Amino acid sequence: MSSLELLAPAGDLEKLKIAVLYGADAVYLGGRQFSLRAGAANFDDKNMLEGITFAHRHNVKVYVAVNIYAHNPDLETLPAYLQFIARAGADGVIASDPGVIDMILKLQPDLPIHLSTQANTTNWASAAFWKRLGVQRIVLARELSLEEIKEIGSRVDIELEAFVHGAMCMAYSGRCLLSNFMTGRDANRGDCAQSCRWRYHLVEEKRPGQYFPVEEDARGTYFMSSKDLCLLEYLPQLAQAGVTSFKIEGRMKSIHYLATVVKTYRQAIDSYLKNPAGYQALPQWMEEIRKVSHREYTTGFLLGDQGKTATVEPAQSTYTRLAAFVGLVLGYNEETGRIIVEQRNNFKAGESLEVLVPRGDNRTLTVAAIYDGETGEQMEVAPHPQQIVELPVDEPVPPMSMLRRIG
């Protein structure tokens, strides 16, 4: 149990640093190619080297996703990329394509391989097969129940990783052709258009041009749009079933989402490790993760109902949230007694904001005044996006803390 890992997404260098500072034990990221999140900023070679150095300085591991289903041209540049990942000091590589895995085993045999959830490992025999081949960790398919996970863990001595939080895909282990068909963007090569989140109508064959809404409410029905996963309550059961890495989805999510969710799961895992028998998912944890943009939360397939009661939310395609992220704390000006803030959304003098800090209890800050970070001029509101401002405080606020408006 002491080796339980909190694994967080890192869509770019800023997000990597946020994940590390807010409590992740490991992060996963992708380069500019071979990764299944083409829409994320991702990492060029320079940023990947900087990110790995930063993470290792904080005793955090870095896993690099090379999890596309490759076409022939992809294989031409893959060997050089694998060599770079190994030299950069990555702690492992996430892959799903058998040809890619074979190439890793031959060209970089010292690079640990984690089998991506895209490989949809749903039984112990498959896990045993991949172990014999040389894979060190299985990222379990999201379609598994707790009992199925437990059987895999009892039969195969291999590291198990499971998603515990984040967006879910309506397709089997993310293996989807809908985006390809609708837009020509290949979901299995990292360029999903999320066609399942769109609103659809029915057209009867003999009445072309007449569109019949399939409605749950006035907005229409999003009958392929999944709810979001949240397994805070079931961390003990997952650990006892053999899962050692708890994974958060979200390489394309905001830094506010990342900080909030990582910090909450850090608190939950630490609470479980301190007192496994007495673990409870505290109400304040659930309240906290509802502050970020999310769809209705679900336990997915974990409880064995095949997701029938919990996976799809017909009437919801958009996100809801209970807080708005308005500023990132960059530092503290000792001469003026003010925190230095990069504005991320509008806020004004006189407002009461919550301060999300990387460690410890959150605080409340009343914005007594706002000063231009360059001129020192006092303002009622910062007029420019991402403007640097200073706010007077009674005590310093840790760098990378976040200011947010509740409600």
Side-chain angles (χ1 to χ4, degrees):
M1 290 184 184
S2 62
S3 63
L4 293 182
E5 175 184 87
L6 175 58
L7 176 57
D12 57 33
L13 185 58
E14 181 184 45
K15 292 175 184 178
L16 180 147
K17 292 179 179 180
I18 290 291
V20 169
L21 295 175
Y22 277 79
D25 297 305
V27 297
Y28 63 100
L29 56 85
R32 295 288 171 85
Q33 53 184 339
F34 307 116
S35 167
L36 278 178
R37 286 294 180 271
N42 291 318
F43 288 74
D44 59 21
D45 291 356
K46 178 182 176 182
N47 283 344
M48 190 179 295
L49 286 168
E50 183 179 345
I52 291 174
T53 300
F54 181 88
H56 286 175
R57 192 184 307 135
H58 290 81
N59 296 316
V60 171
K61 294 182 178 181
V62 178
Y63 308 133
V64 179
V66 189
N67 54 347
I68 65 166
Y69 279 90
H71 289 236
N72 290 328
D74 297 318
L75 301 180
E76 296 176 7
T77 55
L78 181 58
Y81 183 60
L82 294 175
Q83 184 180 54
F84 168 75
I85 292 172
R87 288 181 174 176
D91 299 284
V93 61
I94 305 166
S96 53
D97 185 307
V100 171
I101 292 172
D102 186 56
M103 191 171 288
I104 297 168
L105 290 167
K106 290 177 179 177
L107 299 180
Q108 301 296 334
D110 295 329
L111 195 59
I113 299 173
H114 299 177
L115 186 70
S116 171
T117 190
Q118 292 286 117
N120 51 276
T121 303
T122 57
N123 62 78
W124 62 265
S126 291
F129 165 81
W130 287 111
K131 180 185 178 181
R132 290 195 299 272
L133 201 64
V135 168
Q136 294 191 11
R137 178 185 293 189
I138 302 290
V139 186
L140 295 165
R142 303 188 207 201
E143 294 80 15
L144 289 173
S145 70
L146 188 61
E147 290 303 313
E148 290 174 309
I149 295 172
K150 188 181 298 184
E151 183 169 3
I152 293 173
S154 66
R155 284 177 172 265
V156 186
D157 183 18
I158 193 170
E159 294 179 30
L160 298 181
E161 176 180 309
F163 281 93
V164 294
H165 196 93
M168 298 180 68
C169 181
M170 50 75 69
Y172 194 82
S173 289
R175 303 282 290 276
C176 182
L177 292 176
L178 188 61
S179 175
N180 302 56
F181 179 75
M182 301 292 289
T183 70
R185 291 169 52 178
D186 192 344
N188 299 307
R189 299 177 80 187
D191 200 22
C192 181
Q194 296 203 22
S195 306
C196 57
R197 307 292 187 187
W198 300 350
R199 181 164 59 180
Y200 292 89
H201 291 77
L202 294 177
V203 178
E204 198 274 326
E205 181 181 4
K206 296 182 180 180
R207 286 181 277 188
Q210 296 186 38
Y211 301 98
F212 300 93
V214 185
E215 291 189 338
E216 290 288 335
D217 63 11
R219 294 178 299 168
T221 294
Y222 302 86
F223 54 88
M224 293 182 287
S225 184
S226 296
K227 298 179 182 180
D228 283 357
L229 185 67
C230 176
L231 298 182
L232 265 175
E233 186 179 349
Y234 296 94
L235 300 186
Q237 292 90 330
L238 287 166
Q240 292 157 16
V243 175
T244 57
S245 180
F246 296 147
K247 187 171 192 174
I248 297 169
E249 182 275 339
R251 276 193 279 160
M252 295 176 65
K253 299 290 180 67
S254 71
I255 61 171
H256 176 233
Y257 169 95
L258 184 61
T260 303
V261 175
V262 169
K263 181 180 178 181
T264 302
Y265 275 85
R266 176 77 276 152
Q267 293 172 331
I269 292 171
D270 288 348
S271 174
Y272 171 66
L273 292 174
K274 185 177 180 180
N275 182 16
Y279 176 86
Q280 288 184 323
L282 300 179
Q284 56 263 38
W285 296 342
M286 292 303 301
E287 180 182 353
E288 184 69 12
I289 60 172
R290 288 192 178 99
K291 292 177 181 177
V292 301
S293 295
H294 68 282
R295 298 178 179 89
E296 184 179 345
Y297 287 127
T298 174
T299 55
F301 295 83
L302 192 73
L303 303 185
D305 65 354
Q306 298 301 304
K308 292 178 182 178
T309 61
T311 308
V312 175
E313 177 52 60
Q316 183 180 7
S317 175
T318 57
Y319 289 90
T320 59
R321 64 182 182 185
L322 300 182
F325 170 43
V326 299
L328 177 67
V329 177
L330 302 180
Y332 178 69
N333 187 333
E334 294 184 359
E335 294 183 1
T336 61
R338 303 170 188 162
I339 55 173
I340 304 167
V341 176
E342 181 181 88
Q343 178 199 346
R344 294 296 179 96
N345 210 329
N346 283 336
F347 63 92
K348 57 186 178 181
E351 278 197 78
S352 180
L353 301 175
E354 184 179 52
V355 184
L356 172 66
V357 296
R359 302 294 173 99
D361 296 333
N362 296 340
R363 313 174 189 177
T364 300
L365 170 67
T366 299
V367 183
I370 302 175
Y371 298 90
D372 187 296
E374 292 185 3
T375 67
E377 179 183 355
Q378 188 170 349
M379 307 175 292
E380 286 298 312
V381 62
H384 306 300
Q386 293 188 281
Q387 183 172 354
I388 305 300
V389 300
E390 293 189 2
L391 311 180
V393 292
D394 295 329
E395 58 180 335
V397 175
M400 306 307 280
S401 296
M402 298 185 189
L403 307 183
R404 58 190 182 187
R405 180 186 300 114
I406 304 300

